Amino acid sequence: KNEVEQSPQNLTAQEGEFITINCSYSVGISALHWLQQHPGGGIVSLFMLSSGKKKHGRLIATINIQEKHSSLHITASHPRDSAVYICAVRLYGGSQGNLIFGKGTKLSVKP
Amino acid sequence: DTEVTQTPKHLVMGMTNKKSLKCEQHMGHRAMYWYKQKAKKPPELMFVYSYEKLSINESVPSRFSPECPNSSLLNLHLHALQPEDSALYLCASSYQRDTQYFGPGTRLTVL
């Protein structure tokens, strides 16, 4: 069983829809990251969370430490949001750089 | 400057060639990372440098040789690679154990 599970694996939405991507983990963590990767390469770090909720523009990330679960929400989705969204966790007490990645959720937003 | 740059963007090399990938950041980050990413898979950590010293080597074959000449620069020297080493190579940096900033990657093809 993977230590970081994301759902869904693939998601297709119409422009304007509210989108939720989920991440569950089975280990003790010190932080959770949400990353965005567009086709062709580079990764952008969206959020780093250790508790509660963070908001940036149309993106909202929440984490429930007790339930070992995080969600990434996109409000008023747009075709430019189409990308792979990756959840990654840093183990509690883990050494520097030791991120464990989920397999990613591929989001396609249709106009 | 909140950017991690990587050169070249694309590299095609034969199995007998020697080449190098370069990564640069000017954010004052003291941790730098190399990741390997195969298609439709999450990134895999290869190396971590902390304060210009190699702190993590994830059992990477010796045909990959990292180098950190100074706090802003990270190289990955490649020699006698195999076709299965073809992948996207991502560099990242962070201030200690904070958010990792990723570069755009170098897409490597080994013939």
Side-chain angles (χ1 to χ4, degrees):
Chain A
K1 186 181 188 304
N2 292 330
E3 291 164 305
V4 181
E5 297 273 2
Q6 285 187 237
S7 63
Q9 285 188 330
N10 293 282
L11 180 56
T12 300
Q14 286 299 125
E15 184 172 356
E17 283 184 359
F18 180 83
I19 286 162
T20 296
I21 298 170
N22 295 299
C23 176
S24 297
Y25 53 91
S26 56
V27 292
I29 69 167
S30 60
L32 181 144
H33 299 254
W34 280 104
L35 310 169
Q36 179 194 56
Q37 187 169 31
H38 279 102
I43 290 177
V44 174
S45 184
L46 300 174
F47 297 103
M48 185 178 75
L49 292 163
S50 53
S51 64
K53 176 179 173 177
K54 287 190 176 179
K55 184 176 190 291
H56 183 71
R58 294 181 294 108
L59 300 178
I60 303 166
T62 63
I63 188 167
N64 184 318
I65 298 293
Q66 286 73 31
E67 294 186 5
K68 295 187 175 177
H69 181 268
S70 175
S71 294
L72 176 69
H73 305 285
I74 305 175
T75 61
S77 60
H78 190 275
R80 65 175 174 265
D81 297 325
S82 299
V84 175
Y85 292 84
I86 303 169
C87 172
V89 301
R90 186 190 309 124
L91 297 180
Y92 183 77
S95 59
Q96 193 163 36
N98 198 13
L99 291 179
I100 301 174
F101 292 85
K103 292 186 176 180
T105 294
K106 185 176 180 181
L107 172 65
S108 297
V109 181
K110 307 293 185 189
Chain B
D1 184 358
T2 58
E3 194 180 18
V4 176
T5 59
Q6 288 187 244
T7 54
K9 286 187 179 178
H10 301 274
L11 178 61
V12 179
M13 60 187 288
M15 290 190 282
T16 57
N17 292 156
K18 284 185 183 182
K19 297 285 185 183
S20 296
L21 309 184
K22 179 179 169 182
C23 172
E24 201 161 0
Q25 57 86 16
H26 297 285
M27 294 179 276
H29 291 169
R30 303 313 296 265
M32 295 185 77
Y33 313 80
W34 279 117
Y35 290 90
K36 173 183 177 181
Q37 188 179 26
K38 301 285 273 184
K40 300 186 180 181
K41 299 284 188 185
E44 299 171 23
L45 183 66
M46 299 175 74
F47 302 104
V48 181
Y49 272 83
S50 179
Y51 291 88
E52 299 158 52
K53 287 187 170 29
L54 184 64
S55 62
I56 295 177
N57 176 343
E58 292 287 352
S59 303
V60 179
S62 60
R63 58 186 184 268
F64 295 91
S65 174
E67 179 198 19
C68 190
N70 60 59
S71 60
S72 299
L73 190 56
L74 184 66
N75 297 320
L76 186 63
H77 302 298
L78 315 172
H79 174 54
L81 295 193
Q82 305 296 310
E84 59 264 28
D85 296 321
S86 299
L88 181 70
Y89 288 84
L90 291 159
C91 173
S93 71
S94 69
Y95 181 71
Q96 296 183 345
R97 299 171 73 195
D98 289 343
T99 299
Q100 292 187 21
Y101 290 79
F102 286 83
T106 293
R107 190 159 297 281
L108 174 67
T109 302
V110 182
L111 300 176

